[in-house]
Amino acid sequence: MHVETFIPFVLATTLILVIPGPTIILVVSQAVTHGRRAVIPLVAGVLMGDFTAMTLSLLGLGALLSTSAALFSVFKWIGALYLLYLGVKLWRLNPQDIPTRQKATHPSAGSLFTSSFIVTALNPKSIAFFVAFLPQFIHPAQPALAQFPLLGGTFLLLATLNAAVYALFAGQLRKHMRKGKIRRWFNRCGGTALIGAGIFTAGMQRSA
């Protein structure tokens, strides 16, 4: 792949990833709520979710979502309802003050992985995104099979690094949020953001 094609792809992908979406909102909220130990399973879930969405897109599901209103609606409502569920759950969480030397309780790594995986993989727009975005950087004179792994691998790497940076930063914030009232306020802000993301997802329209 030519450098003049690859560098714009990296820059465009980075810009898209940096803008917080439902996945990043979830990662930040969970990392602040459960601490830095939650970073690895959350980021792993994002990686596998993006990999699943990209794989399904390359297998043709993205094109099918773009043409099938019924299938698009199924993916849309599953993702929207799950975001609403996570938002309400986070809103209702009632954290207590954490003494300096007391270890916080954490959910299982599996549940954290599952939540970030589902939110990332079941976003219908992210599946359709791979179909519409990646092909624009495929050089027609070069073998496509050699370019897709490079572009896809680069996207997965950037998406993983982006989620990790957000999660680590959010995990650091937890150290400065020992008071239950402060953490409760943040949880409700995060829960509201997730509920808003769920409502936004539910209002998505299929691309023409």
Side-chain angles (χ1 to χ4, degrees):
M1 175 170 290
H2 298 292
V3 175
E4 57 268 24
T5 301
F6 183 70
I7 291 180
F9 171 78
V10 172
L11 294 177
T13 300
T14 301
L15 179 61
I16 292 172
L17 290 172
V18 167
I19 301 173
T23 295
I24 295 303
I25 293 174
L26 172 69
V27 167
V28 171
S29 300
Q30 296 284 45
V32 169
T33 302
H34 304 299
R36 295 184 65 179
R37 294 181 182 179
V39 171
I40 292 179
L42 286 171
V43 174
V46 173
L47 172 61
M48 292 306 299
D50 278 325
F51 177 77
T52 301
M54 184 175 65
T55 302
L56 292 176
S57 298
L58 296 180
L59 291 176
L61 182 57
L64 185 58
L65 281 173
S66 298
T67 57
S68 172
L71 184 60
F72 181 88
S73 295
V74 169
F75 273 77
K76 177 182 74 173
W77 281 106
I78 291 176
L81 291 175
Y82 192 69
L83 283 169
L84 291 173
Y85 162 76
L86 292 175
V88 172
K89 183 179 179 180
L90 187 60
W91 174 273
R92 297 180 61 185
L93 191 63
N94 186 24
Q96 303 297 323
D97 291 357
I98 301 178
T100 304
R101 296 184 179 180
Q102 180 179 337
K103 293 184 178 180
T105 57
H106 299 276
S108 68
S111 64
L112 292 170
F113 173 88
T114 301
S115 62
S116 60
F117 171 80
I118 292 177
V119 170
T120 305
L122 288 185
N123 187 344
K125 282 295 184 181
S126 62
I127 297 178
F129 164 82
F130 288 111
V131 175
F133 183 74
L134 285 181
Q136 297 182 31
F137 296 89
I138 297 295
H139 197 288
Q142 303 294 331
L145 291 179
Q147 298 178 71
F148 271 116
L150 175 61
L151 294 177
T154 300
F155 177 88
L156 292 178
L157 175 62
L158 293 175
T160 302
L161 290 175
N162 181 65
V165 170
Y166 271 109
L168 288 171
F169 176 75
Q172 285 293 113
L173 286 180
R174 179 178 171 84
K175 294 182 178 180
H176 306 287
M177 299 172 63
R178 297 288 175 180
K179 294 296 182 180
K181 290 183 179 180
I182 298 177
R183 293 173 57 217
R184 187 181 304 114
W185 175 84
F186 187 90
N187 287 346
R188 290 182 176 177
C189 289
T192 301
L194 287 173
I195 292 172
I199 295 174
F200 176 80
T201 301
M204 282 181 175
Q205 298 297 320
R206 181 170 56 88
S207 300

